[in-house]
Tab-separated table of all heavy atoms in Angstrom:
chain	number	residue	atom	x	y	z
A	1	SER	N	191.116	295.518	52.326
A	1	SER	CA	189.755	295.016	52.309
A	1	SER	C	189.334	294.651	50.895
A	1	SER	O	189.683	295.347	49.936
A	1	SER	CB	188.795	296.083	52.873
A	1	SER	OG	187.452	295.655	52.804
A	2	ILE	N	188.619	293.528	50.761
A	2	ILE	CA	187.963	293.198	49.505
A	2	ILE	C	186.476	293.021	49.781
A	2	ILE	O	186.055	292.786	50.914
A	2	ILE	CB	188.556	291.942	48.833
A	2	ILE	CG1	188.379	290.702	49.722
A	2	ILE	CG2	190.012	292.158	48.505
A	2	ILE	CD1	188.849	289.419	49.063
A	3	LYS	N	185.681	293.134	48.754
A	3	LYS	CA	184.231	293.179	48.926
A	3	LYS	C	183.619	291.821	49.242
A	3	LYS	O	182.720	291.723	50.074
A	3	LYS	CB	183.567	293.770	47.682
A	3	LYS	CG	183.873	295.240	47.456
A	3	LYS	CD	183.254	296.100	48.552
A	3	LYS	CE	183.489	297.584	48.293
A	3	LYS	NZ	182.959	298.426	49.406
A	4	GLU	N	184.072	290.765	48.566
A	4	GLU	CA	183.376	289.497	48.728
A	4	GLU	C	184.258	288.317	48.340
A	4	GLU	O	185.271	288.472	47.652
A	4	GLU	CB	182.089	289.478	47.890
A	4	GLU	CG	182.337	289.641	46.399
A	4	GLU	CD	181.050	289.744	45.615
A	4	GLU	OE1	179.975	289.812	46.227
A	4	GLU	OE2	181.127	289.747	44.368
A	5	CYS	N	183.849	287.139	48.809
A	5	CYS	CA	184.438	285.878	48.386
A	5	CYS	C	183.417	284.787	48.670
A	5	CYS	O	182.311	285.063	49.150
A	5	CYS	CB	185.770	285.602	49.085
A	5	CYS	SG	185.602	284.918	50.745
A	6	SER	N	183.774	283.561	48.398
A	6	SER	CA	182.906	282.426	48.672
A	6	SER	C	183.343	281.729	49.956
A	6	SER	O	184.539	281.669	50.278
A	6	SER	CB	182.965	281.434	47.504
A	6	SER	OG	182.387	280.193	47.866
A	7	MET	N	182.376	281.172	50.679
A	7	MET	CA	182.694	280.360	51.853
A	7	MET	C	183.619	279.194	51.483
A	7	MET	O	184.407	278.733	52.307
A	7	MET	CB	181.397	279.818	52.460
A	7	MET	CG	181.528	279.244	53.839
A	7	MET	SD	181.843	280.499	55.105
A	7	MET	CE	180.268	281.371	55.141
A	8	LEU	N	183.536	278.753	50.240
A	8	LEU	CA	184.351	277.622	49.798
A	8	LEU	C	185.825	278.000	49.654
A	8	LEU	O	186.672	277.117	49.487
A	8	LEU	CB	183.828	277.075	48.469
A	8	LEU	CG	182.356	276.657	48.445
A	8	LEU	CD1	182.001	276.056	47.096
A	8	LEU	CD2	182.039	275.675	49.567
A	9	ASP	N	186.155	279.289	49.730
A	9	ASP	CA	187.545	279.740	49.605
A	9	ASP	C	188.343	279.601	50.902
A	9	ASP	O	189.573	279.628	50.882
A	9	ASP	CB	187.593	281.205	49.164
A	9	ASP	CG	187.018	281.440	47.780
A	9	ASP	OD1	186.925	280.476	47.005
A	9	ASP	OD2	186.639	282.592	47.477
A	10	HIS	N	187.648	279.459	52.029
A	10	HIS	CA	188.346	279.554	53.316
A	10	HIS	C	189.405	278.468	53.502
A	10	HIS	O	190.532	278.751	53.919
A	10	HIS	CB	187.338	279.501	54.462
A	10	HIS	CG	186.480	280.719	54.593
A	10	HIS	ND1	186.728	281.901	53.924
A	10	HIS	CD2	185.356	280.945	55.332
A	10	HIS	CE1	185.816	282.789	54.253
A	10	HIS	NE2	184.974	282.241	55.096
A	11	ALA	N	189.064	277.215	53.198
A	11	ALA	CA	190.025	276.125	53.432
A	11	ALA	C	191.294	276.327	52.616
A	11	ALA	O	192.410	276.115	53.108
A	11	ALA	CB	189.379	274.774	53.103
A	12	SER	N	191.127	276.763	51.367
A	12	SER	CA	192.301	277.006	50.530
A	12	SER	C	193.118	278.179	51.043
A	12	SER	O	194.362	278.177	50.948
A	12	SER	CB	191.859	277.271	49.083
A	12	SER	OG	191.303	276.101	48.518
A	13	THR	N	192.452	279.184	51.594
A	13	THR	CA	193.160	280.333	52.167
A	13	THR	C	193.992	279.887	53.371
A	13	THR	O	195.154	280.283	53.520
A	13	THR	CB	192.166	281.427	52.574
A	13	THR	OG1	191.409	281.842	51.431
A	13	THR	CG2	192.887	282.636	53.154
A	14	PHE	N	193.410	279.051	54.236
A	14	PHE	CA	194.166	278.561	55.396
A	14	PHE	C	195.369	277.729	54.955
A	14	PHE	O	196.460	277.846	55.523
A	14	PHE	CB	193.254	277.725	56.297
A	14	PHE	CG	192.039	278.449	56.802
A	14	PHE	CD1	190.843	277.785	57.014
A	14	PHE	CD2	192.082	279.809	57.064
A	14	PHE	CE1	189.724	278.440	57.471
A	14	PHE	CE2	190.962	280.489	57.528
A	14	PHE	CZ	189.778	279.799	57.735
A	15	ALA	N	195.174	276.896	53.931
A	15	ALA	CA	196.285	276.086	53.421
A	15	ALA	C	197.388	276.972	52.849
A	15	ALA	O	198.579	276.718	53.053
A	15	ALA	CB	195.773	275.115	52.358
A	16	GLN	N	196.995	278.030	52.148
A	16	GLN	CA	197.959	278.960	51.547
A	16	GLN	C	198.855	279.584	52.607
A	16	GLN	O	200.058	279.784	52.390
A	16	GLN	CB	197.210	280.054	50.785
A	16	GLN	CG	198.087	281.075	50.079
A	16	GLN	CD	198.691	280.537	48.796
A	16	GLN	OE1	198.132	279.631	48.182
A	16	GLN	NE2	199.808	281.092	48.388
A	17	ILE	N	198.292	279.875	53.767
A	17	ILE	CA	199.067	280.482	54.849
A	17	ILE	C	200.258	279.609	55.225
A	17	ILE	O	201.362	280.108	55.490
A	17	ILE	CB	198.152	280.728	56.075
A	17	ILE	CG1	197.200	281.896	55.798
A	17	ILE	CG2	198.977	280.983	57.333
A	17	ILE	CD1	196.129	282.080	56.852
A	18	PHE	N	200.070	278.288	55.206
A	18	PHE	CA	201.128	277.369	55.620
A	18	PHE	C	201.954	276.837	54.462
A	18	PHE	O	202.940	276.135	54.667
A	18	PHE	CB	200.512	276.199	56.396
A	18	PHE	CG	200.046	276.586	57.770
A	18	PHE	CD1	198.740	276.989	57.973
A	18	PHE	CD2	200.913	276.573	58.851
A	18	PHE	CE1	198.300	277.363	59.237
A	18	PHE	CE2	200.486	276.941	60.115
A	18	PHE	CZ	199.177	277.341	60.310
A	19	GLY	N	201.547	277.155	53.247
A	19	GLY	CA	202.346	276.754	52.100
A	19	GLY	C	202.011	275.390	51.535
A	19	GLY	O	202.844	274.787	50.853
A	20	PHE	N	200.814	274.878	51.811
A	20	PHE	CA	200.419	273.617	51.169
A	20	PHE	C	199.134	273.830	50.372
A	20	PHE	O	198.425	274.818	50.556
A	20	PHE	CB	200.272	272.473	52.174
A	20	PHE	CG	199.184	272.643	53.202
A	20	PHE	CD1	197.886	272.238	52.945
A	20	PHE	CD2	199.476	273.170	54.462
A	20	PHE	CE1	196.891	272.372	53.900
A	20	PHE	CE2	198.490	273.308	55.423
A	20	PHE	CZ	197.193	272.912	55.135
A	21	GLU	N	198.851	272.898	49.476
A	21	GLU	CA	197.682	273.015	48.621
A	21	GLU	C	196.491	272.269	49.214
A	21	GLU	O	196.651	271.264	49.887
A	21	GLU	CB	197.981	272.432	47.226
A	21	GLU	CG	198.963	273.247	46.417
A	21	GLU	CD	199.095	272.693	45.008
A	21	GLU	OE1	198.189	272.959	44.188
A	21	GLU	OE2	200.068	271.988	44.743
A	22	PHE	N	195.322	272.806	48.933
A	22	PHE	CA	194.084	272.129	49.308
A	22	PHE	C	193.400	271.745	48.005
A	22	PHE	O	192.591	272.490	47.459
A	22	PHE	CB	193.209	273.053	50.155
A	22	PHE	CG	192.185	272.315	50.968
A	22	PHE	CD1	192.487	271.855	52.229
A	22	PHE	CD2	190.922	272.061	50.456
A	22	PHE	CE1	191.553	271.153	52.982
A	22	PHE	CE2	189.985	271.367	51.185
A	22	PHE	CZ	190.298	270.915	52.454
A	23	LYS	N	193.739	270.568	47.489
A	23	LYS	CA	193.396	270.215	46.116
A	23	LYS	C	191.946	269.809	45.922
A	23	LYS	O	191.394	269.981	44.840
A	23	LYS	CB	194.309	269.085	45.634
A	23	LYS	CG	195.782	269.462	45.577
A	23	LYS	CD	196.631	268.288	45.116
A	23	LYS	CE	198.102	268.657	45.064
A	23	LYS	NZ	198.950	267.517	44.631
A	24	ASN	N	191.301	269.246	46.952
A	24	ASN	CA	189.970	268.682	46.766
A	24	ASN	C	188.840	269.682	46.955
A	24	ASN	O	187.692	269.384	46.663
A	24	ASN	CB	189.769	267.493	47.713
A	24	ASN	CG	190.686	266.334	47.369
A	24	ASN	OD1	191.059	266.164	46.216
A	24	ASN	ND2	191.076	265.559	48.364
A	25	GLY	N	189.151	270.854	47.469
A	25	GLY	CA	188.124	271.869	47.653
A	25	GLY	C	187.748	272.539	46.344
A	25	GLY	O	188.507	272.517	45.370
A	26	LYS	N	186.579	273.146	46.326
A	26	LYS	CA	186.083	273.836	45.132
A	26	LYS	C	186.419	275.316	45.126
A	26	LYS	O	186.192	275.995	44.134
A	26	LYS	CB	184.567	273.659	45.030
A	26	LYS	CG	184.106	272.207	44.992
A	26	LYS	CD	184.754	271.457	43.828
A	26	LYS	CE	184.304	270.013	43.803
A	26	LYS	NZ	184.992	269.225	42.765
A	27	GLY	N	186.956	275.814	46.235
A	27	GLY	CA	187.292	277.233	46.306
A	27	GLY	C	188.730	277.499	45.922
A	27	GLY	O	189.478	276.604	45.526
């Protein structure tokens, strides 16, 4: 568990799962 993150991090987290980058997001 971690305490907090930004909503803007979600897309990059999903991309990380599959091994690709989400370059245009701010998270």
Side-chain angles (χ1 to χ4, degrees):
S1 177
I2 62 176
K3 293 293 183 184
E4 61 185 6
C5 81
S6 166
M7 194 70 69
L8 304 184
D9 296 340
H10 290 348
S12 293
T13 301
F14 302 147
Q16 181 77 26
I17 287 171
F18 287 92
F20 64 87
E21 291 186 78
F22 200 88
K23 297 179 180 179
N24 294 331
K26 303 303 179 185

